[in-house]
Amino acid sequence: MIVVKVGGSAGIDYDAVCADIAARWKDGERLILVHGGSGETNRVAEALGHPPKFVTSPSGYTSRFTDRQTLEIFEMVYCGKMNKGIVERLQRLGVNAVGLSGLDGRIFEGKHKDSVRAVENGKVKVLRGDHTGTVERVNTHLIDLLLAGGYLPVLTPPASSYDGVAINVDGDRAAAALAVALKADALLLLSNVPGLLRAYPDEASLIREIPAADVENYLEFAQDRMKKKVLGAAEAVQGGVRRVIFGDARHGQPVSAALGGQGTVVS
Ligand code: ADP
């Protein structure tokens, strides 16, 4: 089993990702696709007059502050436009894909974090009314049913809180939790960069290999949102996933290239 997470940043070629996945699926490979949608969510949020608000925690992690209205816009884009766009592409390629969020069947579950500590103008503030959380539990029953029925699951945040409230969760870490729960052979984190760069944005500074035991030491090279990918990779390998690959989803055959060792391989 392979878990493929494709991001939501500018430059990602979803046609290329879907074509590669469809070919491999038809060859009999079992895989699950998890996707993001942050770039499009930002655009739609601006257009709807509710621009995105990003906050940075005291430890340096950036996340989207998700009030109720932002959550609704987030769902429109992630569960609507992005998810159905990917499902349609796969259906056109002859793959019977099913798109679900983490709320559906409580596939992704975690604790609802209502407030977040954020650094603003050098001061730490507490912001309330947040609908975020982290995936702590993956309920695989629905996924097993779909796979047994020959369907390719296409999953996206939000997740469900333990009380059934929709929460915005990081897609990379959700994909990592899924890969652990399914005992996947590999987790691919595909984005709009060649992999983890030692000196971002210099693409020539690509880090090719990271020993699994060492992955947290590489957090220092990742800025802002890349940190979540490195954290997800650490969680996946610590949970028993043998290989995590940060790969390039901008062109070519992104899944096959990553599985062939292109990008940053954590193992
Ligand atoms: P996605 O939405 O595709 O999952 P993110 O935007 O969350 O991706 O994270 C990928 C981004 O992280 C890259 O586009 C890049 O701007 C940024 N980044 C920060 N530090 C690094 C690094 N060291 N190597 C590669 N990318 C980095």
Side-chain angles (χ1 to χ4, degrees), residues 34-186:
V34 180
H35 68 84
S38 59
E40 188 63 17
T41 299
N42 295 346
R43 270 190 294 281
V44 172
E46 294 277 0
L48 292 177
H50 193 67
K53 176 170 179 168
F54 289 97
V55 294
T56 304
S57 73
S59 48
Y61 287 92
T62 306
S63 62
R64 184 189 295 277
F65 182 72
T66 311
D67 59 14
R68 189 73 212 180
Q69 198 180 344
T70 300
L71 180 76
E72 287 170 7
I73 297 168
F74 178 94
E75 288 179 333
M76 280 188 231
V77 176
Y78 278 68
C79 313
K81 182 170 182 183
M82 298 302 292
N83 190 269
K84 296 317 145 195
I86 290 172
V87 169
E88 183 189 6
R89 282 182 181 86
L90 290 168
Q91 290 291 354
R92 282 184 178 214
L93 293 162
V95 174
N96 209 352
V98 172
L100 295 169
S101 80
L103 266 177
D104 298 281
R106 287 178 180 262
I107 293 172
F108 294 133
E109 255 188 323
K111 218 179 285 138
H112 176 186
K113 220 166 126 250
D114 170 68
S115 63
V116 64
R117 274 160 34 93
V119 183
E120 277 181 10
N121 304 324
K123 289 198 185 127
V124 179
K125 288 189 178 165
V126 177
L127 304 175
R128 297 193 191 282
D130 203 8
H131 287 76
T132 59
T134 304
V135 174
E136 294 170 344
R137 201 151 77 190
V138 180
N139 298 305
T140 57
H141 182 64
L142 180 55
I143 294 168
D144 293 338
L145 288 177
L146 290 172
L147 289 170
Y151 299 97
L152 191 162
V154 179
L155 306 180
T156 184
S160 173
S161 78
Y162 295 117
D163 301 323
V165 175
I167 49 173
N168 180 3
V169 293
D170 179 66
D172 294 305
R173 294 178 70 192
L178 178 71
V180 170
L182 294 173
K183 301 185 169 48
D185 304 300

Side-chain angles (χ1 to χ4, degrees), residues 5-9 12 36-39 170 172 190-200 221-227 229:
K5 154 72 179 22
V6 61
S9 303
I12 289 173
S38 59
D170 179 66
D172 294 305
L190 307 180
S191 184
N192 63 351
V193 279
L196 181 64
L197 306 174
R198 191 172 286 272
Y200 173 77
F221 301 114
Q223 289 145 36
D224 52 77
R225 306 211 327 236
M226 197 71 193
K227 279 183 197 268
K229 290 188 200 297

